[in-house]
Each structure stands twice: as C-alpha cells, then as structure tokens.
Amino acid sequence: IVVFDDYNPRLYNNVTEFVNVFRSSFAPLEQAILNRLMEKATTEEANLHLLRELYLMWSVKEAYTKALGVGLGFDFSSFATRLDDFDPDRDSLWQVLSSSLPEGPERRSAVIRRPATISFMDGRPGELWKFGFLFLWANDDTGPPQGCACVCWGPGSNNQDIGVTVNFCQLQELVNG
C-alpha cells in the first residue's frame, strides 16, 4: 500500500529533488518515464502527477518482490515492470490506471487488473505477471485517490484470474482489532 503523500519540504527543496532520491531504485525504462514527467513538472498539477507516478511505480515493484517472498531485499533496479497496455514513451502508469476507474460509487471498490511484463536487466527472458490495483479514497469519496494497494500474482502466461474481495473499515477498527 502506498499513500499519495506530498514530499517533506523540510527535507527536500521540491518534488524533483524528492523523486531523484529514488531514481536509482528504478530500471532505465522506468527512469526514462520519471525523467519525462520531471521535465513537465512545472505546475502544481504536474508535480502531483509526478508524485503519484513515483508511488505507483514503487508499489508495483514492491508487490512483485513481495510475491517472490523477498520484499525490499531485492534490488529494484535489476528489473523493470511494464503493463501490457502501456506505452512508456507516451503514457504514465497514473494515466493508464486512473482512466480505467469507473464513474460513480463503484470506483471506491474497483480493482483494476492488468497483465505486466517483468524484464530483467541481466538479460534473462521476461516473465508475465498480473497486478491488481485498488485505489484508496477519502471517507467522503470526493476528490482524487489518496493512495493505492497493489497485489501481484504469477508468473504465467495463462489468463487465470484470482478473486478479490474488498472489505472496507476505518483504520481505528484495525487498530482496535
């Protein structure tokens, strides 16, 4: 789960400086996407887009390494992830996923499922995995998503899907058990 939080202005001068801290965690293809978005990050809206992209790209990498059972102990820059309906020269992960959301109250529980290719920087053949994205919303369900949960399953080339059940609760309910 990632929360679409702003950068900390006490630690970083701007969004680009914050994003640059994480650049080495991404493969060249992913760095190129971040570079393209950083060049456009001249408005508040473009900066917000860049932050969401960073967080989504991170959540995909984290979901994949957790599915492998290694979590953050895996070198994130040793592989690239690319959704199969994604043009890295034109699209951003944020654009592709947010445009897939249904309108109305269904968007709150919509799980967006996408196949993705994992490419390895050491030349091994790529693998097909599947990803599920659930955007997290504020209680009043207005405005943009506040975060995203991402799960990964695979590898495999079949079209088998997994069932996903979404149950909502308040954070306090989780804390109190």
Side-chain angles (χ1 to χ4, degrees):
I1 294 178
V2 294
V3 175
F4 300 150
D5 206 1
D6 202 359
Y7 72 97
N8 185 335
R10 291 179 291 179
L11 299 175
Y12 307 100
N13 292 317
N14 53 48
V15 171
T16 302
E17 185 178 315
F18 174 72
V19 171
N20 275 326
V21 169
F22 298 94
R23 282 177 43 88
S24 64
S25 297
F26 294 97
L29 171 72
E30 297 158 330
Q31 288 182 18
I33 294 166
L34 290 173
N35 288 342
R36 181 171 44 84
L37 294 174
M38 281 193 286
E39 289 173 8
K40 297 177 182 179
T42 58
T43 66
E44 187 175 333
E45 183 178 334
N47 282 331
L48 184 58
H49 184 119
L50 175 59
L51 280 173
R52 287 181 179 148
E53 188 71 10
L54 171 73
Y55 292 137
L56 286 172
M57 289 171 72
W58 185 270
S59 71
V60 168
K61 285 186 167 285
E62 191 172 354
Y64 171 68
T65 59
K66 284 182 177 180
L68 293 175
V70 294
L72 296 175
F74 201 85
D75 179 7
F76 277 20
S77 66
S78 69
F79 65 96
T81 58
R82 187 181 64 77
L83 297 184
D84 287 359
D85 58 349
F86 178 84
D87 179 351
D89 294 325
R90 183 193 70 230
D91 297 332
S92 72
L93 191 55
W94 168 249
Q95 288 170 315
V96 169
L97 295 175
S98 62
S99 67
S100 302
L101 286 169
E103 294 295 323
E106 304 86 45
R107 73 182 185 157
R108 184 174 175 91
S109 60
V111 177
I112 302 166
R113 294 172 178 86
R114 289 287 189 275
T117 301
I118 308 295
S119 304
F120 301 98
M121 300 301 100
D122 63 6
R124 283 182 285 157
E127 296 177 345
L128 180 65
W129 286 70
K130 300 226 171 102
F131 289 84
F133 300 89
L134 173 68
F135 283 105
L136 308 173
W137 304 89
N139 287 340
D140 60 5
D141 205 26
T142 61
Q146 303 298 303
C148 182
C150 180
V151 295
C152 174
W153 65 99
S157 59
N158 63 29
N159 290 324
Q160 182 180 354
D161 205 350
I162 62 169
V164 177
T165 302
V166 179
N167 295 313
F168 292 97
C169 66
Q170 297 295 319
L171 181 59
Q172 195 61 40
E173 293 174 57
L174 291 173
V175 172
N176 293 337

